Amino acid sequence: MSDFVFSRDPAAVDHALVHRWLSEHAYWALGRSRETQETAMAASRNYGVYRAVSGAQAAYARVVTDGATFAWLCDVFVDPEVRGRGVGKMLVAGVTADLAPLGLRRILLATADAHGLYAQHGFAPLTAPERMMAIV
């Protein structure tokens, strides 16, 4: 897996590429404006996986958190060209390792796919989903 490196450096994120990935290819963010994406990124922890040689971004995720009790893992995207090469695992492992020292009580995410990937990192279905509500 030395072809890729994980980073939590927000300055490394290719904002234009991430916006294109999410607004054009991510079912949850189709049509999201660049302004909305930039606002979301500015208020979040941003993570990436990059090609070791070229530095080109291969994956992205962001986390919304208060830094003390709660986090929401979202906008997880792996470039289709590198899927199946462990990049998603590296990304989620790096994010969860970065959050671990915060001692958060709960980290949530929503996904229509990739349940197996997230389960490898400790995520499980809600034990009491009837307690959760949303404004949609």
Side-chain angles (χ1 to χ4, degrees):
M1 196 56 182
S2 61
D3 291 345
F4 300 94
V5 294
F6 171 82
S7 176
R8 64 185 190 133
D9 179 3
V13 175
D14 182 335
H15 288 235
L17 176 62
V18 168
H19 175 255
R20 189 173 78 243
W21 280 344
L22 297 177
S23 68
E24 296 178 11
H25 305 288
Y27 64 85
W28 65 91
L30 293 175
R32 182 182 289 169
S33 74
R34 178 74 185 262
E35 179 182 9
T36 296
Q37 185 62 38
E38 291 295 334
T39 300
M41 292 171 81
S44 303
R45 290 176 176 240
N46 296 274
Y47 302 92
V49 172
Y50 303 86
R51 293 179 183 271
V53 175
S54 69
Q57 190 150 7
Y60 173 77
R62 70 183 179 90
V63 172
V64 180
T65 183
D66 62 10
T69 64
F70 175 83
W72 177 268
L73 173 60
C74 54
D75 286 348
V76 178
F77 191 90
V78 177
D79 185 338
E81 291 183 14
V82 299
R83 290 181 186 166
R85 297 176 61 187
V87 172
K89 290 179 184 180
M90 176 184 274
L91 180 62
V92 177
V95 170
T96 55
D98 187 59
L99 296 175
L102 300 178
L104 302 171
R105 182 167 183 245
R106 181 170 290 121
I107 302 172
L108 293 177
L109 66 86
T111 185
D113 51 17
H115 291 80
L117 166 66
Y118 297 114
Q120 294 174 40
H121 298 280
F123 288 90
L126 295 173
T127 56
E130 68 279 0
R131 298 171 111 185
M132 301 296 291
M133 297 180 74
I135 296 174
V136 292

Coordinates of all heavy atoms in Angstrom, one line a residue, residues 1 4-8 28 45-50 57-63 71-79 83 85-101 104 107-111 113-124:
M1 N 0.8 -1.2 0.0 CA 0.0 0.0 0.0 C 0.9 1.2 0.0 O 0.4 2.3 0.2 CB -0.9 -0.1 1.2 CG -2.1 0.9 1.2 SD -3.0 0.6 -0.3 CE -4.2 1.8 -0.1
F4 N 0.3 4.8 -1.8 CA -0.6 5.9 -1.3 C -0.2 6.3 0.1 O 0.3 5.5 0.8 CB -2.1 5.4 -1.4 CG -2.6 5.0 -2.7 CD1 -2.5 3.7 -3.2 CD2 -3.1 6.0 -3.6 CE1 -2.9 3.3 -4.4 CE2 -3.5 5.6 -4.9 CZ -3.4 4.3 -5.3
V5 N -0.6 7.6 0.4 CA -0.3 8.1 1.8 C -1.6 8.8 2.2 O -2.2 9.5 1.5 CB 0.9 9.0 1.8 CG1 2.2 8.2 1.5 CG2 0.8 10.2 0.8
F6 N -1.8 8.6 3.5 CA -2.9 9.3 4.2 C -2.5 10.7 4.7 O -1.3 10.8 5.1 CB -3.5 8.5 5.4 CG -4.4 9.2 6.2 CD1 -5.8 9.3 5.9 CD2 -4.0 9.9 7.4 CE1 -6.7 10.0 6.6 CE2 -4.9 10.5 8.2 CZ -6.3 10.6 7.8
S7 N -3.3 11.7 4.7 CA -3.0 13.0 5.2 C -4.2 13.6 5.9 O -5.3 13.5 5.4 CB -2.4 13.9 4.1 OG -2.2 15.2 4.7
R8 N -4.0 14.3 7.0 CA -5.0 15.1 7.6 C -4.7 16.6 7.4 O -5.4 17.5 8.0 CB -5.1 14.8 9.1 CG -3.9 15.1 9.9 CD -4.0 14.7 11.3 NE -2.9 15.2 12.1 CZ -3.0 15.8 13.2 NH1 -4.2 15.9 13.8 NH2 -2.0 16.3 13.9
W28 N -25.1 11.3 -2.9 CA -25.6 12.2 -1.8 C -25.3 13.7 -2.0 O -25.9 14.5 -1.3 CB -25.0 11.8 -0.4 CG -23.6 12.0 -0.4 CD1 -22.9 13.1 0.1 CD2 -22.6 11.1 -0.8 NE1 -21.5 12.9 -0.1 CE2 -21.3 11.7 -0.6 CE3 -22.6 9.8 -1.3 CZ2 -20.1 11.0 -0.9 CZ3 -21.4 9.1 -1.6 CH2 -20.2 9.8 -1.4
R45 N -13.2 19.0 9.6 CA -11.8 18.4 9.4 C -11.8 17.7 8.1 O -12.7 17.0 7.7 CB -11.6 17.3 10.5 CG -11.5 17.9 11.9 CD -11.4 16.8 12.9 NE -11.1 17.3 14.3 CZ -10.1 17.1 15.0 NH1 -9.1 16.3 14.6 NH2 -10.0 17.6 16.2
N46 N -10.7 17.9 7.3 CA -10.6 17.4 6.0 C -9.5 16.4 5.9 O -8.4 16.7 6.4 CB -10.4 18.5 5.0 CG -11.6 19.4 4.9 OD1 -12.6 19.2 4.2 ND2 -11.6 20.5 5.7
Y47 N -9.7 15.3 5.2 CA -8.7 14.2 5.1 C -8.6 13.8 3.6 O -9.5 13.9 2.8 CB -9.2 13.0 5.9 CG -9.4 13.3 7.3 CD1 -10.6 13.7 7.8 CD2 -8.3 13.2 8.2 CE1 -10.8 13.9 9.2 CE2 -8.5 13.5 9.6 CZ -9.8 13.8 10.1 OH -10.0 14.1 11.4
G48 N -7.4 13.3 3.3 CA -7.2 12.7 2.0 C -6.2 11.6 1.9 O -5.5 11.4 2.9
V49 N -6.3 10.8 0.9 CA -5.3 9.9 0.5 C -4.8 10.3 -0.8 O -5.5 10.7 -1.7 CB -5.9 8.4 0.4 CG1 -4.8 7.5 -0.1 CG2 -6.3 8.0 1.8
Y50 N -3.4 10.3 -0.9 CA -2.7 10.8 -2.1 C -1.8 9.8 -2.7 O -1.2 8.9 -2.0 CB -2.0 12.1 -1.7 CG -2.9 13.1 -1.1 CD1 -3.2 13.1 0.3 CD2 -3.5 14.1 -1.9 CE1 -4.0 14.0 0.8 CE2 -4.4 15.0 -1.3 CZ -4.6 14.9 0.0 OH -5.5 15.8 0.6
Q57 N -4.5 13.6 -5.5 CA -5.5 13.1 -4.6 C -6.2 11.9 -5.1 O -6.6 11.9 -6.3 CB -6.5 14.2 -4.3 CG -7.4 13.9 -3.1 CD -7.9 15.1 -2.4 OE1 -7.6 16.2 -2.7 NE2 -8.6 14.8 -1.3
A58 N -6.4 10.9 -4.3 CA -7.0 9.6 -4.7 C -8.3 9.4 -3.9 O -9.1 8.6 -4.3 CB -6.1 8.5 -4.5
A59 N -8.5 10.1 -2.8 CA -9.7 9.9 -1.9 C -9.8 11.1 -1.0 O -8.9 11.9 -0.8 CB -9.6 8.6 -1.1
Y60 N -11.1 11.3 -0.5 CA -11.4 12.4 0.4 C -12.4 12.0 1.4 O -13.3 11.2 1.1 CB -11.9 13.6 -0.5 CG -12.5 14.7 0.3 CD1 -11.6 15.6 0.9 CD2 -13.8 14.9 0.5 CE1 -12.1 16.7 1.7 CE2 -14.3 15.9 1.3 CZ -13.4 16.8 1.9 OH -13.9 17.8 2.7
A61 N -12.4 12.6 2.5 CA -13.4 12.5 3.5 C -13.4 13.8 4.4 O -12.3 14.4 4.5 CB -13.2 11.3 4.4
R62 N -14.5 14.1 5.0 CA -14.5 15.2 6.0 C -15.3 14.7 7.2 O -16.1 13.8 7.1 CB -15.0 16.5 5.4 CG -16.5 16.5 5.1 CD -16.9 17.8 4.4 NE -18.3 17.9 4.1 CZ -19.2 18.3 4.9 NH1 -18.9 18.8 6.1 NH2 -20.5 18.3 4.5
V63 N -15.0 15.4 8.3 CA -15.7 15.1 9.6 C -16.2 16.4 10.2 O -15.4 17.3 10.3 CB -14.7 14.4 10.5 CG1 -15.4 14.2 11.9 CG2 -14.3 13.0 10.0
A71 N -19.1 13.2 16.4 CA -18.5 13.5 15.0 C -19.4 12.8 14.0 O -20.1 11.8 14.2 CB -17.1 12.9 14.9
W72 N -19.5 13.4 12.8 CA -20.2 12.9 11.7 C -19.2 12.7 10.5 O -18.6 13.7 10.0 CB -21.3 13.9 11.3 CG -22.1 13.5 10.0 CD1 -21.8 13.8 8.8 CD2 -23.2 12.6 10.0 NE1 -22.8 13.3 7.9 CE2 -23.7 12.5 8.7 CE3 -24.0 12.0 11.0 CZ2 -24.8 11.8 8.3 CZ3 -25.1 11.3 10.6 CH2 -25.5 11.2 9.2
L73 N -19.0 11.5 10.1 CA -18.1 11.2 9.0 C -18.9 11.3 7.7 O -20.0 10.7 7.6 CB -17.5 9.8 9.1 CG -16.7 9.3 8.0 CD1 -15.5 10.1 7.6 CD2 -16.2 7.8 8.2
C74 N -18.5 12.1 6.8 CA -19.3 12.3 5.6 C -18.4 12.6 4.4 O -17.2 12.8 4.5 CB -20.3 13.5 5.8 SG -19.6 15.0 6.3
D75 N -19.0 12.7 3.2 CA -18.4 13.0 1.9 C -17.2 12.1 1.7 O -16.2 12.5 1.1 CB -18.0 14.5 1.9 CG -19.2 15.4 1.7 OD1 -20.3 14.9 1.3 OD2 -19.0 16.6 1.8
V76 N -17.3 10.8 2.0 CA -16.2 9.9 1.8 C -16.3 9.5 0.3 O -17.4 9.0 -0.2 CB -16.4 8.6 2.7 CG1 -15.3 7.6 2.3 CG2 -16.4 9.0 4.1
F77 N -15.2 9.7 -0.4 CA -15.2 9.4 -1.8 C -13.8 8.9 -2.2 O -12.8 9.5 -1.9 CB -15.5 10.6 -2.7 CG -15.8 10.3 -4.1 CD1 -17.0 10.0 -4.6 CD2 -14.7 10.3 -5.0 CE1 -17.3 9.7 -5.9 CE2 -14.9 10.0 -6.4 CZ -16.2 9.7 -6.8
V78 N -13.8 7.8 -2.9 CA -12.5 7.2 -3.5 C -12.6 7.3 -5.0 O -13.6 6.9 -5.6 CB -12.3 5.8 -3.0 CG1 -11.1 5.2 -3.6 CG2 -12.3 5.7 -1.5
D79 N -11.6 7.8 -5.6 CA -11.5 7.9 -7.1 C -11.7 6.5 -7.6 O -11.1 5.6 -7.3 CB -10.1 8.4 -7.4 CG -9.9 8.7 -8.9 OD1 -10.7 8.1 -9.7 OD2 -9.0 9.4 -9.3
R83 N -10.2 2.4 -6.8 CA -11.0 1.5 -5.9 C -10.5 0.1 -6.0 O -10.1 -0.4 -7.0 CB -12.5 1.6 -6.3 CG -13.0 3.0 -6.0 CD -14.5 3.1 -6.3 NE -14.9 4.5 -6.1 CZ -16.0 5.1 -6.5 NH1 -16.9 4.4 -7.2 NH2 -16.3 6.3 -6.2
R85 N -8.1 -1.1 -4.2 CA -6.7 -1.1 -3.9 C -6.4 -0.8 -2.4 O -5.2 -0.5 -2.1 CB -5.9 -0.2 -4.8 CG -6.0 -0.6 -6.3 CD -5.4 0.3 -7.3 NE -3.9 0.4 -7.0 CZ -3.2 1.3 -7.7 NH1 -3.7 2.1 -8.6 NH2 -1.9 1.4 -7.4
G86 N -7.4 -0.8 -1.6 CA -7.2 -0.5 -0.2 C -7.2 1.0 0.2 O -6.9 1.3 1.4
V87 N -7.5 1.9 -0.8 CA -7.5 3.3 -0.5 C -8.6 3.7 0.5 O -8.4 4.5 1.4 CB -7.6 4.1 -1.8 CG1 -7.7 5.6 -1.6 CG2 -6.3 3.8 -2.7
G88 N -9.8 3.1 0.3 CA -10.9 3.4 1.2 C -10.6 3.0 2.6 O -10.8 3.7 3.6
K89 N -9.9 1.8 2.8 CA -9.5 1.3 4.1 C -8.5 2.2 4.7 O -8.6 2.6 5.9 CB -9.0 -0.1 4.0 CG -10.0 -1.2 3.6 CD -9.3 -2.5 3.5 CE -10.3 -3.6 3.1 NZ -9.7 -4.9 3.0
M90 N -7.5 2.7 3.9 CA -6.5 3.6 4.4 C -7.2 4.9 4.9 O -6.8 5.4 6.0 CB -5.5 3.9 3.4 CG -4.4 4.9 3.8 SD -3.3 5.3 2.5 CE -2.1 4.0 2.8
L91 N -8.1 5.4 4.1 CA -8.8 6.7 4.4 C -9.6 6.5 5.8 O -9.4 7.4 6.7 CB -9.7 7.1 3.3 CG -10.5 8.4 3.5 CD1 -9.6 9.6 3.6 CD2 -11.5 8.5 2.3
V92 N -10.4 5.5 5.9 CA -11.2 5.4 7.1 C -10.4 5.1 8.3 O -10.6 5.6 9.4 CB -12.4 4.3 6.9 CG1 -13.2 4.1 8.2 CG2 -13.3 4.7 5.7
A93 N -9.3 4.3 8.1 CA -8.4 4.0 9.2 C -7.7 5.2 9.7 O -7.6 5.5 10.9 CB -7.4 2.9 8.8
G94 N -7.3 6.1 8.8 CA -6.6 7.3 9.1 C -7.5 8.3 9.8 O -7.2 8.9 10.8
V95 N -8.8 8.4 9.3 CA -9.7 9.3 10.0 C -10.0 8.8 11.4 O -10.0 9.6 12.4 CB -11.0 9.4 9.2 CG1 -12.1 10.1 9.9 CG2 -10.8 10.1 7.8
T96 N -10.3 7.5 11.6 CA -10.7 7.1 12.9 C -9.5 7.2 13.9 O -9.7 7.5 15.0 CB -11.3 5.6 12.9 OG1 -10.4 4.8 12.2 CG2 -12.6 5.6 12.2
A97 N -8.3 6.9 13.4 CA -7.1 7.1 14.2 C -6.9 8.5 14.6 O -6.5 8.8 15.8 CB -5.9 6.6 13.5
D98 N -7.2 9.5 13.7 CA -7.0 10.9 14.0 C -8.1 11.3 15.1 O -7.8 12.2 15.9 CB -7.2 11.7 12.8 CG -6.9 13.2 13.0 OD1 -5.8 13.5 13.4 OD2 -7.8 14.0 12.8
L99 N -9.3 10.7 15.0 CA -10.3 11.1 16.0 C -10.2 10.4 17.3 O -10.7 11.0 18.3 CB -11.7 10.8 15.4 CG -12.1 11.6 14.1 CD1 -13.4 11.1 13.6 CD2 -12.1 13.1 14.3
A100 N -9.5 9.3 17.4 CA -9.5 8.5 18.6 C -9.0 9.3 19.8 O -9.6 9.2 20.9 CB -8.6 7.3 18.4
P101 N -8.0 10.1 19.7 CA -7.5 10.9 20.9 C -8.5 11.8 21.5 O -8.4 12.3 22.6 CB -6.3 11.6 20.4 CG -5.8 10.9 19.2 CD -7.1 10.3 18.6
L104 N -14.3 10.8 21.6 CA -15.7 11.1 21.2 C -16.6 9.9 21.7 O -16.2 8.8 21.6 CB -15.8 11.2 19.7 CG -14.9 12.3 19.1 CD1 -14.9 12.2 17.6 CD2 -15.3 13.7 19.6
I107 N -19.4 8.4 16.8 CA -19.1 8.9 15.4 C -20.2 8.2 14.5 O -20.3 7.0 14.6 CB -17.7 8.4 15.0 CG1 -16.6 8.9 15.9 CG2 -17.4 8.8 13.6 CD1 -15.2 8.4 15.7
L108 N -20.9 9.0 13.8 CA -21.9 8.5 12.9 C -21.5 8.7 11.5 O -20.7 9.5 11.1 CB -23.2 9.3 13.2 CG -23.9 9.1 14.5 CD1 -25.2 10.0 14.6 CD2 -24.3 7.7 14.7
L109 N -22.2 8.0 10.6 CA -22.1 8.2 9.2 C -23.4 7.6 8.6 O -24.2 6.9 9.2 CB -20.9 7.5 8.6 CG -20.8 6.0 8.6 CD1 -21.5 5.3 7.5 CD2 -19.4 5.5 8.6
A110 N -23.7 8.0 7.4 CA -24.8 7.5 6.6 C -24.2 6.9 5.3 O -23.4 7.6 4.7 CB -25.8 8.5 6.4
T111 N -24.7 5.8 4.9 CA -24.2 5.2 3.7 C -25.2 4.3 3.0 O -25.9 3.6 3.8 CB -22.8 4.4 3.9 OG1 -22.4 4.0 2.6 CG2 -23.0 3.3 4.8
D113 N -24.1 2.2 0.7 CA -23.2 1.1 0.3 C -22.0 1.1 1.2 O -21.9 1.8 2.2 CB -22.8 1.3 -1.2 CG -22.2 2.7 -1.5 OD1 -21.8 3.4 -0.6 OD2 -22.2 3.1 -2.7
A114 N -21.0 0.3 0.9 CA -19.8 0.2 1.7 C -19.9 -0.1 3.1 O -19.0 0.1 3.9 CB -19.0 1.5 1.5
H115 N -21.0 -0.8 3.5 CA -21.2 -1.2 4.9 C -20.0 -2.1 5.4 O -19.6 -1.9 6.5 CB -22.5 -1.9 5.1 CG -23.7 -1.0 4.9 ND1 -24.2 -0.6 3.7 CD2 -24.5 -0.3 5.8 CE1 -25.2 0.2 3.8 NE2 -25.4 0.4 5.1
G116 N -19.6 -2.9 4.6 CA -18.5 -3.8 4.9 C -17.2 -3.1 5.3 O -16.5 -3.4 6.2
L117 N -16.9 -2.1 4.5 CA -15.7 -1.2 4.7 C -15.8 -0.6 6.1 O -14.9 -0.7 6.9 CB -15.6 -0.1 3.7 CG -14.6 1.0 4.0 CD1 -13.2 0.5 4.0 CD2 -14.7 2.1 3.0
Y118 N -16.9 0.0 6.4 CA -17.1 0.7 7.7 C -17.1 -0.2 8.8 O -16.6 0.1 9.9 CB -18.3 1.6 7.6 CG -18.2 2.7 6.6 CD1 -19.0 2.7 5.5 CD2 -17.2 3.7 6.7 CE1 -18.9 3.7 4.5 CE2 -17.1 4.7 5.7 CZ -17.9 4.7 4.7 OH -17.8 5.7 3.7
A119 N -17.7 -1.4 8.7 CA -17.7 -2.4 9.7 C -16.3 -2.8 10.2 O -16.1 -3.1 11.4 CB -18.6 -3.6 9.3
Q120 N -15.4 -2.9 9.2 CA -14.0 -3.2 9.5 C -13.4 -2.2 10.5 O -12.4 -2.5 11.1 CB -13.2 -3.3 8.3 CG -13.6 -4.4 7.3 CD -12.8 -4.3 6.0 OE1 -11.6 -4.0 6.0 NE2 -13.4 -4.6 4.9
H121 N -14.0 -1.0 10.6 CA -13.4 0.0 11.4 C -14.3 0.3 12.6 O -14.1 1.4 13.3 CB -13.1 1.3 10.6 CG -12.2 1.0 9.5 ND1 -10.8 1.0 9.7 CD2 -12.3 0.7 8.2 CE1 -10.2 0.7 8.6 NE2 -11.1 0.5 7.7
G122 N -15.2 -0.6 13.0 CA -16.0 -0.5 14.2 C -17.4 0.1 14.0 O -18.1 0.1 15.0
F123 N -17.7 0.5 12.9 CA -19.1 1.0 12.7 C -20.1 -0.1 12.6 O -19.8 -1.2 12.1 CB -19.2 1.8 11.4 CG -18.4 3.2 11.4 CD1 -17.1 3.3 11.0 CD2 -19.1 4.3 11.8 CE1 -16.4 4.5 11.1 CE2 -18.4 5.5 11.9 CZ -17.1 5.6 11.5
A124 N -21.3 0.1 13.2 CA -22.3 -0.9 13.2 C -23.7 -0.1 13.1 O -23.7 1.1 13.3 CB -22.3 -1.6 14.5

